[in-house]
Amino acid sequence: MWALLIWVSLLLISITHWVYSWRNPKCRGKLPPGSMGFPLLGESIQFFKPNKTSDIPPFIKERVKNDVDMCRYGPIFKTNLVGRPVIVSTDADLSYFVFNQEGRCFQSWYPDTFTHIFGKKNVGSLHGFMYKYLKNMVLTLFGHDGLKKMLPQVEMTANKRLELWSNQDSVELKDATASMIFDLTAKKLISHDPDKSSENLRANFVAFIQGLISFPFDIPGTAYHKCLQGRAKAMKMLRNMLQERRENPRKNPSDFFDYVIEEIQKEGTILTEEIALDLMFVLLFASFETTSLALTLAIKFLSDDPEVLKRLTEEHETILRNREDADSGLTWEEYKSMTYTFQFINETARLANIVPAIFRKALRDIKFKDYTIPAGWAVMVCPPAVHLNPEMYKDPLLFNPSRWEGSKVTNASKHFMAFGGGMRFCVGTDFTKLQMAAFLHSLVTKYRWEEIKGGNITRTPGLQFPNGYHVKLHKKRD
């Protein structure tokens, strides 16, 4: 009996000590305020709750401020997500510092569940020379020269899809634009033609995306399990394509796959098949899903603001009037002259907050202001908190492209990080802008549209889904 009581007492003491240690992690300095949540789970359940507003995610907003004293934790706080200690930054200075100290104080990091989904060798998990090597590879396609060559095809694709949609009773924009961009990107990357393929590559990505931001329970029937299945099927298709291409090489290389195969076959190469396939997977996902979200929201913003639509249309109609041949396609010079269009795209990206959480890991103890970020801890940068800061942006929830007039910000700054920042600034940013600008040019000069169904905006910690937004396109009369 006494032995049992002693054993139970020791167990209770051990559990109490474990819970205390969980809630009060050790630090050689002062940790930011915050809560570590429940043991093992942390605050994961609250973090993964969808956000159906256009504001800062409730998980972040509730911890930065409250309605009583307007200061619960402040712009920097600690938490625990899926068993991992995390410092959350809504502070523009800290976020900018984190991005620009890549490789010195911080390195790219994502939760194990993300690594499992995107692959252990995905570009976001690689560092140093290997990351720079892959980045330079991608820039052969999405760099300045590559985009100049791509512009006519991007415009032609937009024209064909808009023509097709105008003959339909209505079109669900998110799915339609995703299909358009995926087919274009897949053709440039791997020469994939959905009309000639016996398997639907995009369908596997759709299954993948639907469970991307879900609680990581790999149990049949769960969204996370479906996500992993979608990835496995897509990777199998890509692996088969790569094998077929290696067995039957082309005489004249014409896509990114050909370039990758050349790199793999070079003597002493550091590029492996696993890294190449993970790279292809991430490029296909990132290029179409994020851009289609931004385009759908852009059209929604235009529908809600006739004055913005009028000004955007005037800019593009001026381009047509200044041409010697009105039927000729967009030129690179015309594209670069779209001043208001780029302001419009920046404002769309600011409010869209398509990637509202960017993760890094501290390589050593970092002191910032009054706090210490312990080595090994994750840091989650929260761009929405920066983009919706009323001290920087007047009426931050108001869509106002004119706020960018005179601004020198083109891609990234301390107060604009829609495309990341620092060494890991998104290499596909200019490709996204090119697609959006070319699509908007064709849309506003040739069509008008009406909303059929408004749809819903559902934000999660990772992506924003404008679901069910249907429009009817009508050709403009000359």
Side-chain angles (χ1 to χ4, degrees), residues 31 35 49 58 67 95 101 142 177 233 287 338:
L31 280 169
S35 170
K49 284 183 179 178
D67 295 329
S95 299
Q101 289 295 314
F142 295 135
T177 53
K233 291 177 181 178
S287 60
M338 298 176 182

Side-chain angles (χ1 to χ4, degrees), residues 153 189-190 203 246 436:
Q153 187 175 359
L189 287 174
I190 56 178
R246 294 179 76 170
M436 291 186 69

Side-chain angles (χ1 to χ4, degrees), residues 418-435:
F419 305 102
M423 188 179 81
R424 288 184 180 265
F425 178 78
C426 177
V427 294
T429 298
D430 290 334
F431 182 45
T432 295
K433 291 185 175 183
L434 182 80
Q435 291 180 94

Side-chain angles (χ1 to χ4, degrees), residues 63 102 116 163 166 226 299 306 310 319 476:
R63 284 156 179 75
E102 174 78 27
H116 192 36
E163 173 72 24
S166 68
K226 293 176 183 178
I299 296 170
K310 179 181 177 182
I319 289 174
K476 288 185 175 180

Side-chain angles (χ1 to χ4, degrees), residues 155-172:
E155 184 187 17
M156 181 177 67
T157 299
N159 285 332
K160 286 183 177 180
R161 291 302 175 103
L162 286 166
E163 173 72 24
L164 175 66
W165 299 343
S166 68
N167 294 315
Q168 299 176 4
D169 292 336
S170 69
V171 60
E172 199 283 299

Side-chain angles (χ1 to χ4, degrees), residues 1 47 77 118 125 158 193 206 215 254 263 292 332 365 382 389-390 413 425 447 451 455 459:
M1 183 68 179
F47 177 76
F77 63 90
F118 284 105
S125 299
D193 187 340
V206 171
F215 208 82
S254 59
E263 288 293 311
S292 63
W332 188 254
D365 286 357
C382 182
N389 183 352
S413 73
F425 178 78
Y447 299 90
E451 290 186 356
R459 298 169 186 258

Side-chain angles (χ1 to χ4, degrees), residues 123-124 126-136 423-425 427:
V123 66
L126 299 174
H127 312 288
F129 177 78
M130 192 69 210
Y131 171 76
K132 293 177 183 178
Y133 169 76
L134 293 180
K135 183 177 180 179
N136 288 332
M423 188 179 81
R424 288 184 180 265
F425 178 78
V427 294

